[in-house]
Amino acid sequence: MNPFSNLGIRHDIVNAITELGFENPTPIQEQSIPVLLSGSNDFVGLAQTGTGKTAAFGLPLLELLDFEENYPQALILCPTRELCLQITSDLKNYSKNMRNVNVVAVYGGANISDQLRQIKRGVQIVVATPGRMLDIINRKAIDFSQVQYVVLDEADEMLNMGFQEDIDSILSTTPDDKKTWLFSATMPSEVRRIAKKYMTDPFELTMGTKNTGNANIEHEYYIVKARDKYAAFKRIVDFNPEIFGIVFCRTKIETQEIAEALIKDGYNADALHGDLSQQQRDKVMKRYRDRSLQLLIATDVAARGIDVNDVTHVINYSLPDEIENYTHRSGRTARAGKTGVSIAIINSKELGKIRQIERVIGKQFTKAEIPNGFDVCEKQLFALVHKVHNVEVNEEQIEQYIPRIMEEFKDLSKEDIIKRFASLEFNRFLEYYSKAPDLNVSGDERSFERGERPDRAFRSSTSPGYTRLFMNLGSVDDFTRGDMLGFICNNTKISGKSVGKIDLKGVFTFFEVEESAVNQVIEGFKSVDFQGRSVRIELAGDREGGSSDRGSYRGGSGGGRREGGGYRGGSGGGRREGASGRREGGSSGGGFRDFSGKRREDRGGSSSAGRREGGERRRRS
Ligand code: AMP
């Protein structure tokens, strides 16, 4: 008999999850499903993401609810829109062979009328982020008086994000005798308190020892000098050609800087942080999921709820302030039974923090050495060889060229040809790494890689007399350079002539303005909204216009960047699908094109002028 049937799951659900590849229950499913199916307990499950907890509560809910009736019977609260959509889609998949199962996803940053309409049509399971849920409750658009089950998923995250009060208000609209099931990756005292507050004698399930991280994750740390951090980080990435990773930074600015530096250096990378609109975040996430990006550079908050399987590495470019967050970060890898590595790049003063984390996760870190240049070259060489070996040959297309290719190679032996192919890309790596220093703390101090920091490496020089500014909007907001010029002039009343180079990136833009116009630009954008988001302008910092790409491999004398179908070897393949520039010459999709270079005198209501469509203000959820 199917092991899920043994646990008490009906065959139409078993059939659906079998199609999803669920052959055996995960440990948390095995232990929680029988308890939850009884429907008579409150429940606290201490479980990491990626352990199969959605099915652990989702399958029992599908068994317990009455789908002949069309009123809300279960409410699932979770911290992020991504998780909300994921849970909704999972429940729909599990129940695809059942009749009249209505699940609605309720989350901020999307059209509320659609959600209200779906609720009105009748729903048994509501999956929601707290902010939007409360909004809907306040509009008296939903009746929770017959809710029997409330699931608090990723409770620690919800509390971290400040949803405590919203959760209190939402739960006060549900009946006292409902059952509450709480899942959390960690059990800080705040979570304990809400467990106490909302539950009576809950059944407690701890997967592994308390607060223990996923056993499939290896934890490593590298000690480097602060100034070598970026170079060390790139070395680690280069040593792992097949990396599909999430890189955590502490601040939005750091996230942007690292992403920008990596993009400049030819990596498939992009940033995910709280300054992005939901639409921008969706685009970045889609590219990551599709593997167009190999590296996602993220802040803790933005990365919450990321549920991408097969993440090979989590890199803590900076350690989190809150130790609990380390567990959340590392939990993004080694999902669904896979293995993964969580790396911390630290300076020697941070060793104490590593020891603290070890105590919390109940596992030891391995001290690792930054690979030397030779090791990286060797690793890259064999990644290339592997790639050549496995490349899919389009026989039909290539056939016509074969005679000419053969002719070209006729005086070379097989060995010679192989050597030449391998050298094609390998030489550049060799050249870059030939002088590569030891970046481990005790290593050699003299080297060009030393001091290579993103803020030096990526900033291009600023034109004389101009100041470089940063803006938190870019090409993923459908701006072309012309749009951007119009947007700047229109909102600040400076002349187009005062604007210098505009460097449009995916999710942000660097632009130059004459020094005399800097204050006017900063002032002009002070209260401007764009599609419900505040426009943020900051000095980009590189006033003196220092040399760029110093010592950076790809900009180096070896010539060329390694993006073109090159070395990265990752499954994203070759060149990053750069958001910037992608619309060059294309239509801007409405908005600002007619403003290009013109100064608009009718500045009545600057903030609405900056808004393409009166987008709804983004709520926390
Ligand atoms: P979750 O912790 O619910 O986010 O699940 C993590 C991943 O594991 C998801 O991709 C699930 O589809 C998958 N998964 C959950 N349960 C099982 C199972 N019993 N067998 C195989 N994969 C599973």
Side-chain angles (χ1 to χ4, degrees):
M1 193 150 127
N2 181 289
F4 282 98
S5 309
N6 275 335
L7 291 177
I9 303 296
R10 71 176 89 165
H11 77 273
D12 44 5
I13 299 180
V14 170
N15 288 345
I17 60 175
T18 304
E19 277 181 42
L20 297 175
F22 294 17
E23 286 172 12
N24 291 298
T26 64
I28 189 165
Q29 290 162 2
E30 195 157 35
Q31 295 189 51
S32 59
I33 288 173
V35 179
L36 297 179
L37 269 183
S38 77
S40 54
N41 289 93
D42 283 336
F43 178 93
V44 174
L46 192 56
Q48 309 286 317
T49 57
T51 50
K53 66 186 162 58
T54 314
F57 64 75
L59 303 183
L61 280 184
L62 292 173
E63 290 289 339
L64 289 166
L65 304 186
D66 179 358
F67 294 101
E68 301 285 305
E69 301 290 348
N70 257 334
Y71 55 81
Q73 298 165 45
L75 167 64
I76 301 167
L77 289 177
C78 61
T80 62
R81 164 191 155 114
E82 285 75 21
L83 189 57
C84 175
L85 287 170
Q86 185 63 46
I87 295 171
T88 307
S89 131
D90 286 353
L91 290 173
K92 286 182 176 167
N93 286 332
Y94 307 156
S95 62
K96 71 171 199 172
N97 302 327
M98 294 167 66
R99 278 163 39 90
N100 197 37
V101 175
N102 295 311
V103 188
V104 61
V106 163
Y107 51 90
N111 190 332
I112 197 167
S113 343
D114 287 347
Q115 296 173 0
L116 292 172
R117 235 188 328 271
Q118 286 183 60
I119 291 169
K120 211 164 179 187
R121 253 188 260 136
V123 54
Q124 299 99 3
I125 305 178
V126 179
V127 187
T129 54
R132 175 59 64 89
M133 190 70 257
L134 194 57
D135 204 346
I136 289 178
I137 290 173
N138 289 338
R139 291 170 188 236
K140 307 216 178 322
I142 198 154
D143 173 12
F144 280 152
S145 64
Q146 298 192 73
V147 161
Q148 299 161 46
Y149 301 97
V150 168
V151 179
L152 302 175
D153 194 17
E154 301 208 348
D156 49 353
E157 289 288 2
M158 286 199 283
L159 296 185
N160 274 342
M161 290 168 84
F163 284 132
Q164 170 82 64
E165 277 177 30
D166 289 1
I167 295 172
D168 283 344
S169 307
I170 295 165
L171 294 192
S172 70
T173 69
T174 60
D176 289 341
D177 62 355
K178 65 175 178 291
K179 299 295 170 224
T180 304
W181 304 346
L182 179 149
F183 290 83
S184 195
T186 58
M187 194 51 71
S189 50
E190 295 83 1
V191 177
R192 279 254 159 258
R193 261 201 300 280
I194 63 164
K196 237 192 191 139
K197 186 164 165 189
Y198 297 125
M199 298 184 204
T200 352
D201 194 20
F203 184 96
E204 290 202 24
L205 183 63
T206 303
M207 300 314 298
T209 49
K210 242 171 230 179
N211 283 337
T212 295
N214 180 332
N216 292 335
I217 305 174
E218 293 289 329
H219 302 266
E220 294 177 352
Y221 68 87
Y222 294 83
I223 305 184
V224 296
K225 293 224 164 82
R227 64 179 182 206
D228 291 334
K229 199 155 149 179
Y230 181 65
F233 164 60
K234 283 204 305 181
R235 189 91 63 88
I236 294 167
V237 170
D238 285 345
F239 189 67
N240 291 283
E242 303 294 331
I243 193 168
F244 180 53
I246 302 180
V247 181
F248 283 95
C249 296
R250 209 166 7 211
T251 62
K252 291 173 199 167
I253 295 277
E254 188 182 51
T255 306
Q256 271 157 359
E257 286 190 351
I258 301 299
E260 180 69 0
L262 287 170
I263 291 166
K264 269 264 152 70
D265 285 346
Y267 294 82
N268 302 325
D270 211 339
L272 189 75
H273 57 71
D275 266 359
L276 309 186
S277 67
Q278 194 60 56
Q279 202 187 10
Q280 287 178 314
R281 285 206 256 171
D282 288 348
K283 281 187 186 171
V284 174
M285 277 314 296
K286 179 168 186 314
R287 290 173 60 218
Y288 188 60
R289 259 182 241 287
D290 293 349
R291 304 276 188 125
S292 300
L293 295 178
Q294 247 185 312
L295 295 170
L296 185 69
I297 323 299
T299 55
D300 288 290
V301 174
R304 278 178 186 148
I306 290 182
D307 59 327
V308 178
N309 286 339
D310 302 324
V311 170
T312 58
H313 292 73
V314 164
I315 299 185
N316 294 268
Y317 190 83
S318 298
L319 282 175
D321 290 327
E322 301 287 325
I323 289 185
E324 297 283 358
N325 272 340
Y326 180 85
T327 317
H328 288 294
R329 289 180 174 190
S330 56
R332 303 295 151 206
T333 183
R335 293 170 63 80
K338 310 254 170 52
T339 56
V341 186
S342 176
I343 286 172
I345 307 175
I346 61 165
N347 62 54
S348 44
K349 289 194 205 107
E350 292 176 303
L351 250 184
K353 210 158 180 183
I354 293 289
R355 301 294 166 234
Q356 273 176 294
I357 295 171
E358 285 178 333
R359 278 195 291 279
V360 170
I361 62 174
K363 265 189 101 171
Q364 292 222 319
F365 276 70
T366 310
K367 181 176 184 308
E369 297 281 313
I370 304 284
N372 64 35
F374 179 79
D375 292 341
V376 174
C377 289
E378 191 176 273
K379 214 41 194 289
Q380 289 286 342
L381 174 63
F382 283 97
L384 174 69
V385 168
H386 189 70
K387 201 171 160 191
V388 170
H389 189 259
N390 292 333
V391 70
E392 211 169 297
V393 175
N394 185 333
E395 301 282 357
E396 215 175 301
Q397 290 297 322
I398 198 81
E399 201 182 331
Q400 54 186 314
Y401 303 109
I402 292 296
R404 269 162 64 196
I405 296 172
M406 288 306 215
E407 176 64 23
E408 185 82 31
F409 284 149
K410 72 173 189 294
D411 57 338
L412 296 177
S413 69
K414 178 179 169 187
E415 199 183 332
D416 283 335
I417 295 171
I418 290 175
K419 273 189 211 157
R420 278 168 165 73
F421 267 106
S423 301
L424 205 61
E425 295 278 342
F426 182 58
N427 285 350
R428 292 201 275 140
F429 254 90
L430 268 184
E431 187 177 337
Y432 179 63
Y433 277 116
S434 63
K435 292 170 246 147
D438 181 359
L439 293 179
N440 296 291
V441 264
S442 53
D444 175 14
E445 294 280 328
R446 295 158 293 123
S447 105
F448 71 97
E449 247 187 344
R450 293 264 169 209
E452 183 189 355
R453 288 184 303 149
D455 57 353
R456 301 239 186 102
F458 78 83
R459 282 184 184 145
S460 61
S461 57
T462 309
S463 314
Y466 282 83
T467 295
R468 201 154 183 254
L469 298 175
F470 159 91
M471 184 193 294
N472 62 334
L473 298 172
S475 62
V476 299
D477 299 292
D478 284 346
F479 277 95
T480 62
R481 272 201 286 274
D483 292 338
M484 184 49 78
L485 182 64
F487 187 58
I488 295 166
C489 296
N490 183 44
N491 282 291
T492 64
K493 296 176 87 173
I494 65 168
S495 149
K497 285 191 221 124
S498 304
V499 182
K501 273 187 284 186
I502 296 179
D503 202 1
L504 208 61
K505 303 291 175 193
V507 295
F508 51 93
T509 297
F510 290 113
F511 64 99
E512 296 177 346
V513 293
E514 281 174 354
E515 271 156 18
S516 57
V518 171
N519 285 343
Q520 199 177 337
V521 171
I522 292 178
E523 280 301 310
F525 275 113
K526 253 195 178 139
S527 56
V528 176
D529 264 19
F530 178 75
Q531 296 184 352
R533 271 183 322 129
S534 301
V535 177
R536 199 156 57 78
I537 304 289
E538 284 170 21
L539 290 176
D542 188 18
R543 300 269 196 137
E544 62 280 355
S547 69
S548 71
D549 287 337
R550 190 155 66 97
S552 160
Y553 155 63
R554 282 156 207 88
S557 56
R561 292 146 61 100
R562 67 173 176 174
E563 45 193 72
Y567 230 131
R568 300 229 45 79
S571 40
R575 191 190 159 82
R576 79 195 165 87
E577 171 230 90
S580 60
R582 106 196 115 84
R583 313 206 40 178
E584 229 95 312
S587 83
S588 78
F592 300 102
R593 308 179 75 210
D594 50 340
F595 299 157
S596 331
K598 284 192 215 134
R599 176 172 171 172
R600 279 186 29 149
E601 303 297 344
D602 56 323
R603 201 170 163 246
S606 63
S607 71
S608 62
R611 199 179 288 179
R612 212 169 293 186
E613 50 196 41
E616 156 192 20
R617 257 216 167 275
R618 213 149 60 80
R619 295 184 52 98
R620 266 182 302 172
S621 61

